[in-house]
């Protein structure tokens, strides 16, 4: 049989012109056919060399008994790593197999010793660090596949030796032929060339292998090569310091260690038997009397022998349950980043049982013990974040000299120190570092932690599966896990996810209230629809429909998430705090005595109560007994309904709909509950509304021209814009009015909330001249407003040094509003019960929103100086 070569066109030339040329090329075998003649200078075959040397009798026996004599006597292409008889004598004194002499070796053990030390290509030792990957990669290799056949050893495993999970229960009272992996085992080399290129230091090597090394030393795993590159006519021989016994892969090693049982049991929960058809058929061909089936142990993982593996048909797990790689995969390769098998291997930092117990009982893991009592009771859904934190896809990036800069897949620092390392094992697919510390994920200590843990809690009264689903669907996990910020995170538990007033339906004829619930069969969140009466604030008792559309529910959940997260604390003495979504929350009390209201909660005269408070590393998590609901009233809605705002409102709505100066709009990119403020831009604002008397004063003093003429006792005091005949005069008056009105709109929401305040804020009016102002605002910058207060009042100072106060006498202050932007006008969607015409209700989306707090002020705001009052004509 011919074997494909990575550089076959050079093969015959290399064989007959001298093996010394190989030092300039990476070569593999084209075929193993006997040549008719051989050059006289060519050395003995590998087999002949071992025989004539006289001190390799154990290896000669292996070769002869396993029918390899003919293969290793001919020309061909092999690299062998062998040990002398004296090394075997030491091996028989102490080995993990418990054999004391050659005759005690089983057939499978003999095959492993011979084939594991054999590569089916000819390599000089320093050339082992080269490989082809679309081109020659020099010094980049540290692994090669050995000649071990997967079916050299097929163990028959008793049911009581199998992992204690449901995936193995069928075989619990049976036996199973089980391969720990069905890919080729690899040999790992530490050569000078590769160590230099990978920047692995001698100290790194010593900590990993327990050996010191000198320049140019080469090792196979932790075994030193005493004599290298013995040239034979069919390859190279390398003499090792000791017998090379095939090591276990990382998973095998961890599960075999008596002091890693806790971590091992967690890891094994993610394993399952997979029927191996190919190796079953192959083994039957080799052993005609065999009629059973062979299985391979697989782990749920993103990277494995055949890519991602999520379980056998009908028993698959979700993406969140996948490990980063299969720890039992002998031929591990970083496929996700396009790296070849030869270039790297994996690493695992495995806490020993003492470390696991210390963490669980006295460390940060106490939250786990408090909730689940023991490691074995922790639900599977919580474990992947812990396990993957301890699994590294690159050994090279995990050597001790790089400990200080290691981060996990979420870019969170992994604080491993050299003094944490108790022991190191070099497996066939990676290195296992035994540690005396646990490295918990941020998920166990962040504000997200109570959600993750409670989502899988057995208690029906504090489950958070809905919120956990929403976090996963909207990719909020990393945000909530950030340790560079502090959060206050409000979490409605599952039983309180009801009476959500949907903003789209609120703007329609039929208004809906939604109750969200978690479907355990589909592992998704659904919503049941009920009628909501705006006038009576009553939610109907009859369910009218069930919404299963994931995108609809995901969209509403995203909106809720944004209004339930406050960056920083909410126990700082203020009464109002802004959320991530710019929604203001009214807060009183602290801890489990806290009460919260969003704008719609205020409108519905209800308070949200904290039922449980958690102090986390990056903030506080509060479980609550109702949904926090953002305002369902826009700036337009509030101003239009309050008579005390009438004068200001009439000025705002007087602009023609087609005018570029229009303040309120309801068109593409602005579709809202009614009309939105045109210049709001996904931020939070303050609107200062002068009293009706103050508006009249601004007109009389010549600050602005109203839309309609101001007439008293039959006399025209001020001619209105609509009555102006000169177009230039009319346009100038419109522009002036727009600038006047916009000066009453301020960036940033400012509340009367019990805290002193003194700050400058930008208005929505641009300065167009060089005229000096009180606040020194430059041309082409927005005019500013100074805001100061003692905590129970606000005083505004304008650009012309005018003082204006928030008028609390009518109670028209701290009014929370929200201008929501939908994907279309609510009227274009059918009602929640599918009545009406247009697009389906579930196709509606909340795109974004801006919020504003409204205060009535006792006078108008002005940035002008030197005005002349209007005289009665």
């Amino acid at each position: 049989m011919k074997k494909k070569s990575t550089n076959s066109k050079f093969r015959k030339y290399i064989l007959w012109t001298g093996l010394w040329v190989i030092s300039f090329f990476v070569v593999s075998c084209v075929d193993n056919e006997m040549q008719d003649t051989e050059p006289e200078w060519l050395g003995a075959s590998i087999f002949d060399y071992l025989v004539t040397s006289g001190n390799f009798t154990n290896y000669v026996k292996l070769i002869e008994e396993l029918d390899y004599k003919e293969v290793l006597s001919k020309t061909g292409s092999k690299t062998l790593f062998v040990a002398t008889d004296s090394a075997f004598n030491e091996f028989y004194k102490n080995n993990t197999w418990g054999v004391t002499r050659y005759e005690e070796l089983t057939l499978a053990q003999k095959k492993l010793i011979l084939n594991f030390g054999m590569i089916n290509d000819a390599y000089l030792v320093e050339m082992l660090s080269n490989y082809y990957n679309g081109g020659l990669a020099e010094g980049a290799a540290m692994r090669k596949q050995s000649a071990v056949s997967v079916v050299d050893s097929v163990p028959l495993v008793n049911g009581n030796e199998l992992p204690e999970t449901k995936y193995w229960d069928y075989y619990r009272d049976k036996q199973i032929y089980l391969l720990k992996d069905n890919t080729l085992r690899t040999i790992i080399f530490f050569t000078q060339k590769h160590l230099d290129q990978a920047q692995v230091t001698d100290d790194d090597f010593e900590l990993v292998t327990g050996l010191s090394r000198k320049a140019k030393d080469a090792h196979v795993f932790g075994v030193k090569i005493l004599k290298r590159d013995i040239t034979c006519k069919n390859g190279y021989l390398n003499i090792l310091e000791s017998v090379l016994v095939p090591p276990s892969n990382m998973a095998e090693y961890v599960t075999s260690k008596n002091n890693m049982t806790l971590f091992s049991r967690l890891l094994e929960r993610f394993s399952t038997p997979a029927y191996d058809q190919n190796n079953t058929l192959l083994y039957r061909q080799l052993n005609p009397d065999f009629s059973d089936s062979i299985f391979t142990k697989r782990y749920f993982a993103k990277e494995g022998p055949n890519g991602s593996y999520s379980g056998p048909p009908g028993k698959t797990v979700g993406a969140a349950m996948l490990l980063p790689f299969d720890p039992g995969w002998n031929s591990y390769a970083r496929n996700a980043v396009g790296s070849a098998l030869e270039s790297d291997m994996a690493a695992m930092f495995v806490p020993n049982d003492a470390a696991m117990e210390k963490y669980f009982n006295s460390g940060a893991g106490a939250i786990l013990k408090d909730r689940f009592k023991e490691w074995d009771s922790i639900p599977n859904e919580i474990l992947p974040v812990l396990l993957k934190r301890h699994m590294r896809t690159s050994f090279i990036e995990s050597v001790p000299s790089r400990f200080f800069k290691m981060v996990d897949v979420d870019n969170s620092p992994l604080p491993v120190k050299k003094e944490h390392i108790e022991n190191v094992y070099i497996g066939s697919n990676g290195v296992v570092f035994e540690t005396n510390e646990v490295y918990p994920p941020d998920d166990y200590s962040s504000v997200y932690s109570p959600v993750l843990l409670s989502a899988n809690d057995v208690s029906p009264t504090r489950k958070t599966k809905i919120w956990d689903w929403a976090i996963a669907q909207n990719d909020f996990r990393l945000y909530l896990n950030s340790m560079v910020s502090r959060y206050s995170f409000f979490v409605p538990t599952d039983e309180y996810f009801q009476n959500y007033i949907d903003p789209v339906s609120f703007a329609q004829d039929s208004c809906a209230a939604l109750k969200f619930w978690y479907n355990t069969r589909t592992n998704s969140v659904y919503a049941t629809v009920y009628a909501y009466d705006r006038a009576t604030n009553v939610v109907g008792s009859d369910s009218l429909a069930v919404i299963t559309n994931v995108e609809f529910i995901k969209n509403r959940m995203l909106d809720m998430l944004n209004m339930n997260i406050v960056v920083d604390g909410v126990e700082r003495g203020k009464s109002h705090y802004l959320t991530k979504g710019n929604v203001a929350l009214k807060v009183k009390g602290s801890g489990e005595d806290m009460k919260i209201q969003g704008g719609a909660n205020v409108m519905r005269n209800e308070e949200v109560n904290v039922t449980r408070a958690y102090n986390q590393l990056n903030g506080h998590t509060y479980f609550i007994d109702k949904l926090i609901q953002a305002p369902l009233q826009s700036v337009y809605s509030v101003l239009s309904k309050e008579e005390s705002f009438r004068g200001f409102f009439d000025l705002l709505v007087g602009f023609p709909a087609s005018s570029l100066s229009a303040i309120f709009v309801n068109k593409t990119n602005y579709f809202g509950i009614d009309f939105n403020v045109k210049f709001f831009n996904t931020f939070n604002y303050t609107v200062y509304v002068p009293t009706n008397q103050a508006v009249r004063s601004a007109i009389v003093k010549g600050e602005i021209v109203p839309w309609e003429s101001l007439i008293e006792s039959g006399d025209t005091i001020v001619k209105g814009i609509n009555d102006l005949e000169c177009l230039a005069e009319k346009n100038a008056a419109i522009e002036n009015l727009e600038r006047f009105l916009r000066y009453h709109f301020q960036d940033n929401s400012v509340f009367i909330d019990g805290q002193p305040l003194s700050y400058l804020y930008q208005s929505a009016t641009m300065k167009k001249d060089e005229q000096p102002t009180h606040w020194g605002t430059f041309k082409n910058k927005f005019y500013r407003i100074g805001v100061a207060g003692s905590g129970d009042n606000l005083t505004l100072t304008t650009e012309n040094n005018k003082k204006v106060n928030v008028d609390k006498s009518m109670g028209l202050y701290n009014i929370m509003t929200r201008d929501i932007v939908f994907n279309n006008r609510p009227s274009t969607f059918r009602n929640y019960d599918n009545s009406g015409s247009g697009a389906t209700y579930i196709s509606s989306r909340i795109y974004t929103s801006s919020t504003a707090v409204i205060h009535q002020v006792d006078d108008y705001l002005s940035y002008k100086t030197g005005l002349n009052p209007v005289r009665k004509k």
Side-chain angles (χ1 to χ4, degrees), residues 145-159:
Q145 287 184 325
S146 72
V148 172
S149 169
V150 171
V151 293
D152 276 351
S153 176
V154 181
L156 181 62
V157 181
N158 293 322

Short mmCIF file of all heavy atoms in Angstrom, two decimals, residues 145-159:
data_model
loop_
_atom_site.label_atom_id
_atom_site.label_comp_id
_atom_site.label_asym_id
_atom_site.label_seq_id
_atom_site.Cartn_x
_atom_site.Cartn_y
_atom_site.Cartn_z
N GLN A 145 1.72 12.52 15.21
CA GLN A 145 0.89 11.36 15.48
C GLN A 145 1.75 10.10 15.53
O GLN A 145 2.63 9.91 14.70
CB GLN A 145 -0.20 11.23 14.43
CG GLN A 145 -1.31 12.27 14.58
CD GLN A 145 -2.44 12.07 13.60
OE1 GLN A 145 -2.21 11.66 12.48
NE2 GLN A 145 -3.66 12.38 14.02
N SER A 146 1.46 9.26 16.51
CA SER A 146 2.21 8.01 16.65
C SER A 146 1.60 6.95 15.75
O SER A 146 0.60 7.17 15.08
CB SER A 146 2.16 7.55 18.11
OG SER A 146 0.86 7.07 18.42
N ALA A 147 2.21 5.76 15.76
CA ALA A 147 1.74 4.65 14.94
C ALA A 147 0.76 3.75 15.69
O ALA A 147 0.39 2.69 15.19
CB ALA A 147 2.93 3.83 14.46
N VAL A 148 0.33 4.18 16.87
CA VAL A 148 -0.61 3.37 17.64
C VAL A 148 -1.95 3.30 16.92
O VAL A 148 -2.50 4.32 16.50
CB VAL A 148 -0.82 3.96 19.05
CG1 VAL A 148 -1.94 3.23 19.78
CG2 VAL A 148 0.47 3.88 19.86
N SER A 149 -2.47 2.12 16.77
CA SER A 149 -3.80 1.93 16.18
C SER A 149 -4.84 2.08 17.27
O SER A 149 -4.65 1.64 18.41
CB SER A 149 -3.91 0.56 15.53
OG SER A 149 -5.25 0.27 15.19
N VAL A 150 -5.95 2.71 16.92
CA VAL A 150 -7.02 2.92 17.89
C VAL A 150 -7.52 1.59 18.44
O VAL A 150 -7.88 1.47 19.62
CB VAL A 150 -8.18 3.71 17.23
CG1 VAL A 150 -9.40 3.75 18.14
CG2 VAL A 150 -7.72 5.12 16.89
N VAL A 151 -7.54 0.56 17.60
CA VAL A 151 -8.08 -0.73 18.03
C VAL A 151 -7.00 -1.68 18.55
O VAL A 151 -7.24 -2.88 18.68
CB VAL A 151 -8.88 -1.40 16.89
CG1 VAL A 151 -10.14 -0.59 16.57
CG2 VAL A 151 -8.02 -1.59 15.66
N ASP A 152 -5.80 -1.16 18.83
CA ASP A 152 -4.78 -1.99 19.46
C ASP A 152 -5.27 -2.50 20.80
O ASP A 152 -4.92 -3.60 21.24
CB ASP A 152 -3.48 -1.21 19.65
CG ASP A 152 -2.62 -1.22 18.38
OD1 ASP A 152 -2.96 -1.98 17.44
OD2 ASP A 152 -1.64 -0.47 18.33
N SER A 153 -6.09 -1.66 21.47
CA SER A 153 -6.62 -2.04 22.78
C SER A 153 -8.05 -1.52 22.89
O SER A 153 -8.27 -0.31 22.82
CB SER A 153 -5.75 -1.45 23.89
OG SER A 153 -6.31 -1.72 25.15
N VAL A 154 -9.01 -2.43 23.03
CA VAL A 154 -10.42 -2.05 23.18
C VAL A 154 -10.90 -2.60 24.52
O VAL A 154 -11.25 -3.78 24.62
CB VAL A 154 -11.28 -2.59 22.02
CG1 VAL A 154 -12.73 -2.15 22.20
CG2 VAL A 154 -10.73 -2.12 20.68
N PRO A 155 -10.92 -1.78 25.55
CA PRO A 155 -11.27 -2.28 26.89
C PRO A 155 -12.76 -2.62 27.00
O PRO A 155 -13.62 -1.97 26.41
CB PRO A 155 -10.93 -1.09 27.81
CG PRO A 155 -10.11 -0.16 26.97
CD PRO A 155 -10.52 -0.38 25.56
N LEU A 156 -13.05 -3.65 27.78
CA LEU A 156 -14.41 -3.99 28.15
C LEU A 156 -14.64 -3.43 29.55
O LEU A 156 -13.98 -3.86 30.51
CB LEU A 156 -14.61 -5.51 28.13
CG LEU A 156 -16.01 -6.02 28.49
CD1 LEU A 156 -17.05 -5.50 27.49
CD2 LEU A 156 -16.02 -7.54 28.54
N VAL A 157 -15.53 -2.46 29.66
CA VAL A 157 -15.69 -1.70 30.91
C VAL A 157 -16.97 -2.15 31.62
O VAL A 157 -18.03 -2.28 30.99
CB VAL A 157 -15.75 -0.19 30.61
CG1 VAL A 157 -15.90 0.60 31.92
CG2 VAL A 157 -14.50 0.25 29.86
N ASN A 158 -16.88 -2.36 32.92
CA ASN A 158 -18.04 -2.72 33.72
C ASN A 158 -18.92 -1.49 33.97
O ASN A 158 -18.42 -0.37 34.08
CB ASN A 158 -17.60 -3.32 35.06
CG ASN A 158 -16.92 -4.66 34.89
OD1 ASN A 158 -17.33 -5.47 34.05
ND2 ASN A 158 -15.88 -4.90 35.68
N GLY A 159 -20.20 -1.72 34.13
CA GLY A 159 -21.14 -0.62 34.31
C GLY A 159 -20.86 0.22 35.53
O GLY A 159 -21.09 1.44 35.53
#
